Amino acid sequence: MPNLPNLAEATPLWLLLLTTLVGAIEGAARGRQPGSDVDIMGMAVFALFLGLGGGLARDMLLGLPAAAIQSFWYPTMVVLGVLIVLTLGRFIPLRGWTMVTLDALTLGLYAAIGTQKALNFDVPLIGAVVVGLFASLTGGAIVSLLQQERPAVITPSAPYGLLALGGVLVYLALAPLSGALAAIACLTFVVASRIVTLRRGITTGRVTPLSDD
């Protein structure tokens, strides 16, 4: 087994900040997609929720002080994400596989870190699953609602929520061996599965409604 740091014991600040930055870039990019009608404040709000929403949901469930307001660096990452999209957005494809990759990275990073935090506080395994799912799905769901769209996690589409669940379960399976290995495997699973399901057109099916009879 490689001598990797056990991320389950202490998530390094650089990984937390990277997660915030990736989410903020994705949020700001969603505000600048073709056809979007939000202003710069709208971009910032999208970046705020996708950059910090998962962490806020995680800390709320665990009863912790919100890390996002305890350090100068978290809001700084959100501002940096907005500035990157404002200055370099014309050189970055804001649709297609760029957005898919950013979305998958945000999903996987928050799934891994949320699950790590839950295990740190001796949350039962089923509780760790709940925390990991809320951390990975909250920000994107809020931004979709702000864009007057139905969140992907509840619509027949590429298996967005199932991928987050799969990433959390991969992390939990490997965490006893190595926190770092578990986090890498979780992120790899989510990103690779997101790309494969989109390329092959794999979608979830619509639930058959109960009849009035």
Side-chain angles (χ1 to χ4, degrees):
M1 181 67 61
N3 186 22
L4 298 173
N6 189 347
L7 300 183
E9 292 182 356
T11 306
L13 180 61
W14 67 264
L15 183 57
L16 295 171
L17 295 180
L18 175 64
T19 303
T20 300
L21 178 61
V22 171
I25 291 173
E26 183 197 352
R30 284 178 67 166
R32 206 176 180 190
Q33 283 183 301
S36 177
D37 61 353
V38 301
D39 58 13
I40 189 171
M41 191 61 194
M43 277 184 61
V45 169
F46 290 174
L48 186 70
F49 277 112
L50 265 168
L52 300 178
L56 291 171
R58 175 199 67 219
D59 293 341
M60 179 186 68
L61 286 174
L62 294 174
L64 301 174
I69 60 174
Q70 300 294 315
S71 170
F72 163 84
W73 290 107
Y74 290 98
T76 300
M77 291 299 102
V78 173
V79 173
L80 179 59
V82 173
L83 291 176
I84 288 174
V85 174
L86 281 175
T87 56
L88 301 177
R90 68 183 62 188
F91 306 109
I92 304 172
L94 298 182
R95 304 185 77 169
W97 291 108
T98 299
M99 288 298 297
V100 168
T101 303
L102 284 174
D103 186 51
L105 285 171
T106 305
L107 191 71
L109 285 168
Y110 267 121
I113 293 175
T115 308
Q116 290 166 12
K117 287 282 189 180
L119 293 180
N120 287 350
F121 287 86
D122 297 322
V123 172
L125 292 181
I126 188 63
V129 171
V130 172
V131 173
L133 285 175
F134 266 81
S136 59
L137 299 174
T138 298
I142 292 174
V143 171
S144 292
L145 291 173
L146 290 174
Q147 291 182 299
Q148 298 181 340
E149 300 173 355
R150 294 182 68 190
V153 68
I154 63 171
T155 58
S157 61
Y160 195 78
L162 289 176
L163 297 187
L165 176 60
V168 170
L169 295 178
V170 166
Y171 180 85
L172 289 174
L174 296 177
L177 300 176
S178 165
L181 178 62
I184 293 169
C186 172
L187 183 60
T188 302
F189 171 83
V190 172
V191 173
S193 299
R194 182 87 167 117
I195 292 173
V196 169
T197 53
L198 285 175
R199 282 191 177 277
R200 299 197 174 185
I202 299 172
T203 62
T204 56
R206 180 173 175 266
V207 175
T208 303
L210 295 174
S211 67
D212 292 335
D213 297 333

